[in-house]
Each structure stands twice: as C-alpha cells, then as structure tokens.
Amino acid sequence: MSDADTTDAGDAAELRTPIVAVLGHVDHGKTSLLDEVRGSAVTAGEAGAITQHIGATAVPLSTISDIAGALVDPDDFDLPGLLFIDTPGHHSFSTLRSRGGALADIAVVVVDVNDGFQPQTYEALDILKRTQTPFIVAANKIDTVPGWNPNPDEPVQQTLEKQSDRAESRLNEQLYEIIGQLSDEGFSADMYWRVQDFRANIGVVPVSAETGEGVPDLLTVLMGLSQRYLKEEMSIDIGGPGVGTVLEVKEERGFGTTIDIVLYDGTVRADDTIVVGAKNQTIVTDVRALLQPQPLAEIRTEKQFEQVDEVRAAAGVKIAAPDLDDAMAGAPVRVVRDRPLEEVIEEVEAELAEIDVVTEEEGVVVKADTLGSLEAIAAALDDAEVPIVRAEVGDVAPRDIAVASTADEPKHEAILGFNVDVLDDAEREAEEKDVELFVDDVIYQLVEGYEEHIEAIERAQQEQVLDKIKRPCRFRVLQDHVFRQSNPAVVGVEVLSGTLKRNSHVVKWDGNEAERIGELKSLQAAGEDIDEARAGEEVAASIDGPTVGRQIEEGDELWTELPEKHAKILEQELADDIPADELEALRMYLEKHRKRDPFWGK
C-alpha cells in the first residue's frame, strides 16, 4: 500500500500488527527472551527499527526478516511485524481483555527445558484455553543442556546439526517431557518443524534467550501463524476512532495520573475525547498528551517521553488526561470523535458488564490488578465453590477490611489479593479486626492458601465441638480390685474402648435399658489424679452412687452415659475425627439403644 493510498483514505482498511503476549513461570526467561529479540535487532544493525512503545515493543517485518535470515522472505507477508506486550513481571496481562476476548492475538508460553511445567505455566495454559488464544511454546535455556556447543543467533535446526549425539539426545528427552506435559493438559504438540496444522497442534520451538539460538525460528513461527490464521482479524479501520485496553494506571511527574494503553483498532489523536472504564462512574475526558518513550538512541535526554500527535493501532501509548484516578487496568478505552458521546459510553459500559464475576450475599472479598485477572480468580474460586461478596480492581484498602470484617462466618472474614499491594492502614486494621489476608501472584496458590485456612478453621471448630461433647467409653470392673465398697465406691477398672473421663455419668445395661448407677468422680493412676484414661489402660475409679455387691459386681461391664443429641453429632458429623476404638464403642452403644428404639440418635 503506497503512502498516497494511506493518506487519501482516512478510513481505509489496513492490516495492523498482531499483539503477542509472552507468558510463563517466573524464572523461565520471559523478559530475557524479549531482551534477546531486541538485542538481535541491534546486532542485525536494525537498532533504529525497533520501537519501544509504552508496555510494548514493536518489531517490524524488515527486522524479523534480518534476524530470521533465510527463514523469512518479507515478500511472503503483508502483516507489518509483531507487537510484543511486555508489561513488567507478570502474566496477568494475558487476561486483559479486548471486546470479550484476550487482548493478545497470539501468545508464547516460555518453559525452561530443565524445569518443565511449573505453577504459572499451568495457569497461563488455563487462561489461554479459556480465552481460546492460539499459542506456541518456547522451550528456553537449550544452552544449559550438558555438553551443548553454542552457535549464537542460529536457527535451531542448524545448531542442532552441530551438537554431539549425547547433547542432542539429552535435549530431545527434555523436549519430549514438555510435549508429554502439554498432552496431559489436552494439547497435541510437536517440534514446530513437524507441525502441519498449527490450529490442531501446538508448535514447540527450542530457544536460548542467552545465545539467541532458535530466536530466528520463534519470530518466523509467530509471523507465519499470524499471517496464516490471524490476517482477517488484523484488518482495521486505520482512520477510525481508537479502541484499546488499559494496561496500567500510573502517576507520572509533570502529567499527574496517566493511563498506559494498548491500542488495537483505529487511531488516537492528541485532541481526542476518550471514554475510559472505571471503578465507579465511567470517565469521559480530553487527551492532554500522547506520550511515547524516547527512541533508544535518545534515551540519554532528560525527558523520558516525547509527545506525539497521533498513534495508530496496534501500539502501546501513555495518555495524559484529567480525571483518570479511578481508571482500571484491563478496562476498555474508546475514542469518541464524531459519534454521539452517549453511544460510546454505552459501548464501554456494555464491555465492562460482560466481565463475569458473580457476587453473593456472603463470601470473601477479592482484589486483583486487572479486570482480566479478577475474572480468572472468580473462575478459580467458582470451581473451588468459594463464594465472593465483593470483587474489585485495586490494592487492598481499609474499606475492604470493613466489608470482610462484617461477614457472618469466620471463614469469610478474608481477603484474597492477586498481584496487588496491601495499604499500610489496611494491614493494621486487618490485624485489629482479625481479617485474614491472602496475597499471591499465582492464582492457584492463592486459592490453595485460602482453602488450607478454611480447613484449619473447620478443624478448630470440630475440636471445640469434640471438647464439649460427651464421648462413649466401655470399661469393666477388675476382679479383686475393690478398694472401697461405697460412698464412693473405689474400684480398679480396665478401659476396653473409648476414653474414660472424670465427671461422667456411669450406666449399666440391663437388657435393652441403660440404667444410670452413679457418677465417676475421679481417676487415679500410680497414686496420681488424672483427668482421663484411654483404651487399654487400668486405673482406679471413684464412682459416687453404687455399692459394690449390689448395683455393681466385680467383672461388670460399665459404660459412660452418652446423651442422644451427642451420639447423633458424633455419628453424623465427627465419626472421622474420633479414634477407631471409640467409634467401635459408639456403634455398640447405638446398637443397644436401637434394639429398643430404632430411631434413637438419628
């Protein structure tokens, strides 16, 4: 398309750059892989070609062709290159949305060949499955395979030919391990050069962010996939009003609160009115400045940013405008231009309403860094059957503590924060009000931490209940161990099953009737007073009420009395929490009662 075409047709359709998200576990080399792509451009004499956007790096087709060498013929492509989103340090941006889908058009999942799949790898795959984003796997750190002979910046098949059989077979073992792990997750995968249909199979690209080996292949596969499968989606109205997603909301000296956005359709100009999704009321504001980082060569200048008049999709840009304090990461941004303002506000609000977090009357408070990650946590909590009372983007603040502290159940007095900070005064209040805080940057670890907390609460509640509940015990009076006949009777007893405790009522079965004969006042072992005795122990028991030779005899089997209500709780709720011998005593006790009354204790 010539320059003339572009300028004439203010609203002509043009192909935009595909947006690439790079995700993976924390130490597996996401950032170093991006740095290597930038670095390769510099060595290919293309430093000026790579442009740093806000939160993104644009790599034009000419640069990709230079890095990839024989693998990429620029004449085969009409997409302009690739835009890598490089939001710092976290994969949560992969859950950023654009019109109900993921913001990224295509993704690279980085996996360390030595470590294989890790928690954040699984999480990234879950998100890609849910948003149906096509992806490839970069099997990174091939240079760490024992005996590896590095060939900087070479395509992977060329460097493989130069390796010893031992190094190659070791690498293959690790790669097939990764392919197996993908298969366990429901993805069919193979080395990228063996994949015929990338929609049916995931391509695995062996790379080294350290030596640049395999980077030509990675860029080739991303470019080829985008050209083949995404071309139709990349068609945009280049002159139309811009549409994008907020990556971050930031204070910037000299500009106040700004938003970093990725623009994926149309243009934004320095005099546009924009509508931005926000925590409370949708924001309508006028662009004061569009900011891009200084070109790499100019970075030494005092000013970090240069102002530009217009930005076209796809690009990352910082927008300075009034009233952006309440803007939310992950929220939509739309340029108004010549459309009715109400219509644009409705579009933004409809997009926000699509975000699917169901809240209940009772539940936990959830905070997250972006709308997308809020959605991802809500999905994980839904799977774990944990209700949510409030879900919002932003750091944990005192008002969140106030909401959590009013929960009816102790297990809901909790806040789950994903990739957010806890404000100091919120932390203090949480301690004062006994609100539990769970903060993590791996969703499943966050949910697991909370589930362990619930288990601990339930255990403590059961222990409290167990402490208050009378427990069954069967014991017998030993022969020749009568120390006193009455007032109280003191006899030697053997505990047959259960736990014998002092201050229990004692019963003796007469047929199907349990007859109360007295109260167990105290227990002694080796002359010392004790509170309880377990199955198998022999102790001296002081029983107030009976006389030996009348109500009780040597050799008699006696029981502690179990109220019907307690028997029911033990059988229905606590059977798993009591020892096997006590459970046996409970079953015998219930059996005896149920011979007389089949519904006793039910």
Side-chain angles (χ1 to χ4, degrees):
M1 195 180 266
S2 74
D3 288 346
D5 286 349
T6 327
T7 43
D8 292 4
D11 50 6
E14 198 170 290
L15 294 176
R16 73 160 169 82
T17 320
I19 298 167
V20 186
V22 182
L23 358 165
H25 195 68
V26 67
D27 301 320
H28 286 191
K30 300 187 300 256
T31 314
S32 38
L33 199 57
L34 272 169
D35 288 344
E36 179 56 32
V37 169
R38 294 186 198 113
S40 307
V42 174
T43 43
E46 287 276 352
I50 284 213
T51 50
Q52 258 324 98
H53 291 219
I54 297 287
T57 301
V59 186
L61 178 60
S62 58
T63 308
I64 290 170
S65 171
D66 281 353
I67 296 172
L71 298 178
V72 170
D73 176 352
D75 295 342
D76 295 344
F77 296 91
D78 42 14
L79 288 173
L82 298 168
L83 182 75
F84 289 89
I85 308 182
D86 49 23
T87 316
H90 204 268
H91 74 255
S92 66
F93 62 76
S94 65
T95 64
L96 287 168
R97 308 160 52 88
S98 67
R99 296 199 190 114
L103 173 61
D105 302 301
I106 190 165
V108 179
V109 177
V110 183
V111 182
D112 179 333
V113 287
N114 307 298
D115 269 6
F117 278 34
Q118 295 295 319
Q120 282 166 313
T121 323
Y122 288 110
E123 203 153 279
L125 289 179
D126 277 350
I127 289 161
L128 295 171
K129 264 185 217 169
R130 226 184 48 246
T131 53
Q132 295 184 314
T133 306
F135 68 96
I136 59 173
V137 171
N140 190 21
K141 306 194 185 180
I142 59 173
D143 60 293
T144 61
V145 170
W148 186 263
N149 164 32
N151 298 284
D153 303 324
E154 275 197 10
V156 77
Q157 283 173 286
Q158 280 179 31
T159 189
L160 274 172
E161 281 165 15
K162 300 176 185 174
Q163 303 304 325
S164 67
D165 290 350
R166 194 152 153 255
E168 189 176 355
S169 68
R170 278 195 168 172
L171 175 62
N172 282 334
E173 269 172 45
Q174 291 170 317
L175 292 170
Y176 282 110
E177 182 80 17
I178 289 171
I179 287 170
Q181 288 174 311
L182 281 162
S183 166
D184 293 345
E185 291 300 298
F187 295 104
S188 163
D190 206 341
M191 301 308 174
Y192 87 86
W193 54 86
R194 294 202 195 106
V195 173
Q196 295 294 311
D197 178 356
F198 280 88
R199 277 178 298 195
N201 295 289
I202 303 297
V204 175
V205 184
V207 296
S208 163
E210 193 58 41
T211 65
E213 289 164 287
V215 170
D217 310 68
L218 187 70
L219 293 171
T220 304
V221 175
L222 285 169
M223 208 58 224
L225 278 178
S226 304
Q227 176 75 20
R228 183 135 183 219
Y229 301 117
L230 300 174
K231 191 173 157 183
E232 282 174 21
E233 294 168 41
M234 296 303 104
S235 178
I236 58 165
D237 174 0
I238 200 71
V243 184
T245 297
V246 179
L247 279 180
E248 279 191 85
V249 184
K250 274 188 184 160
E251 280 294 317
E252 216 59 77
R253 210 172 74 218
F255 294 103
T257 306
T258 64
I259 49 174
D260 294 355
I261 75 160
V262 167
L263 189 72
Y264 58 83
D265 200 348
T267 56
V268 59
R269 299 177 188 144
D271 57 355
D272 273 329
T273 298
I274 54 171
V275 177
V276 185
K279 289 175 191 169
N280 302 312
Q281 204 172 353
T282 306
I283 298 166
V284 178
T285 185
D286 294 328
V287 176
R288 273 200 192 134
L290 296 176
L291 304 166
Q292 290 281 32
Q294 291 283 5
L296 293 174
E298 317 289 320
I299 220 106
R300 290 182 299 279
T301 57
E302 278 306 289
K303 286 208 196 89
Q304 208 181 336
F305 306 108
E306 57 177 0
Q307 295 202 20
V308 291
D309 292 334
E310 178 178 274
V311 175
R312 10 162 89 182
V317 62
K318 180 181 285 293
I319 298 180
D323 309 323
L324 290 174
D325 291 344
D326 270 355
M328 268 190 299
V333 179
R334 285 173 180 265
V335 169
V336 178
R337 212 151 297 156
D338 41 19
R339 295 182 300 156
L341 177 61
E342 284 313 309
E343 191 181 294
V344 183
I345 292 173
E346 261 171 46
E347 281 175 14
V348 167
E349 288 178 354
E351 207 174 310
L352 281 176
E354 270 178 29
I355 287 164
D356 189 18
V357 178
V358 179
T359 54
E360 313 280 347
E361 291 291 309
E362 263 289 310
V364 295
V365 173
V366 176
K367 299 300 291 266
D369 58 344
T370 72
L371 287 170
S373 35
L374 204 55
E375 244 182 344
I377 296 171
L381 288 174
D382 188 43
D383 290 346
E385 297 183 354
V386 176
I388 299 171
V389 70
R390 169 193 265 179
E392 287 180 347
V393 169
D395 292 333
V396 178
R399 64 197 187 95
D400 301 313
I401 310 293
V403 172
S405 66
T406 58
D408 287 346
E409 291 185 51
K411 65 180 180 189
H412 293 150
E413 290 176 20
I415 295 174
L416 280 68
F418 174 70
N419 226 26
V420 292
D421 291 327
V422 179
L423 303 177
D424 289 347
D425 39 359
E427 200 149 352
R428 277 197 301 277
E429 283 191 34
E431 271 179 38
E432 281 168 26
K433 294 185 173 166
D434 277 341
V435 170
E436 293 289 330
L437 297 175
F438 299 88
V439 180
D440 207 308
D441 60 359
V442 179
I443 291 175
Y444 96 91
Q445 285 176 355
L446 187 63
V447 177
E448 247 179 30
Y450 175 67
E451 286 182 318
E452 282 165 16
H453 167 66
I454 290 182
E455 279 168 25
I457 287 180
E458 285 173 353
R459 267 200 310 278
Q461 284 173 338
Q462 290 193 339
E463 279 163 18
Q464 266 183 320
V465 171
L466 271 173
D467 277 350
K468 291 190 180 126
I469 265 183
K470 296 268 187 278
R471 313 269 280 276
C473 177
R474 181 168 69 97
F475 59 103
R476 70 184 173 89
V477 181
L478 293 168
Q479 299 285 356
D480 305 326
H481 277 73
V482 177
F483 306 112
R484 185 170 169 174
Q485 279 190 298
S486 61
N487 289 333
V490 180
V491 291
V493 298
E494 179 192 4
V495 183
L496 300 172
S497 53
T499 306
L500 187 58
K501 295 189 173 186
R502 59 193 190 85
N503 299 329
S504 313
H505 291 304
V506 178
V507 295
K508 183 178 171 183
W509 287 91
D510 180 9
N512 292 332
E513 293 294 334
E515 202 177 302
R516 187 188 286 188
I517 55 166
E519 190 173 353
L520 182 70
K521 283 295 190 192
S522 63
L523 294 170
Q524 278 198 341
E528 296 287 321
D529 280 337
I530 55 171
D531 287 334
E532 59 179 52
R534 284 285 292 122
E537 292 177 3
E538 293 186 356
V539 293
S542 155
I543 306 171
D544 201 11
T547 301
V548 180
R550 286 197 194 149
Q551 290 83 0
I552 57 173
E553 305 284 349
E554 292 178 41
D556 273 356
E557 182 178 280
L558 303 176
W559 290 75
T560 51
E561 187 177 31
L562 192 56
E564 185 174 8
K565 188 175 161 192
H566 292 211
K568 181 178 178 176
I569 293 172
L570 278 171
E571 184 186 33
Q572 292 179 8
E573 293 175 32
L574 301 171
D576 293 342
D577 300 296
I578 59 177
D581 61 287
E582 198 170 295
L583 194 55
E584 180 201 8
L586 173 67
R587 295 211 165 117
M588 288 169 74
Y589 195 87
L590 289 168
E591 208 176 296
K592 285 173 179 288
H593 266 297
R594 285 173 184 167
K595 278 182 187 158
R596 179 179 48 79
D597 170 4
F599 295 103
W600 194 89
K602 284 191 171 174

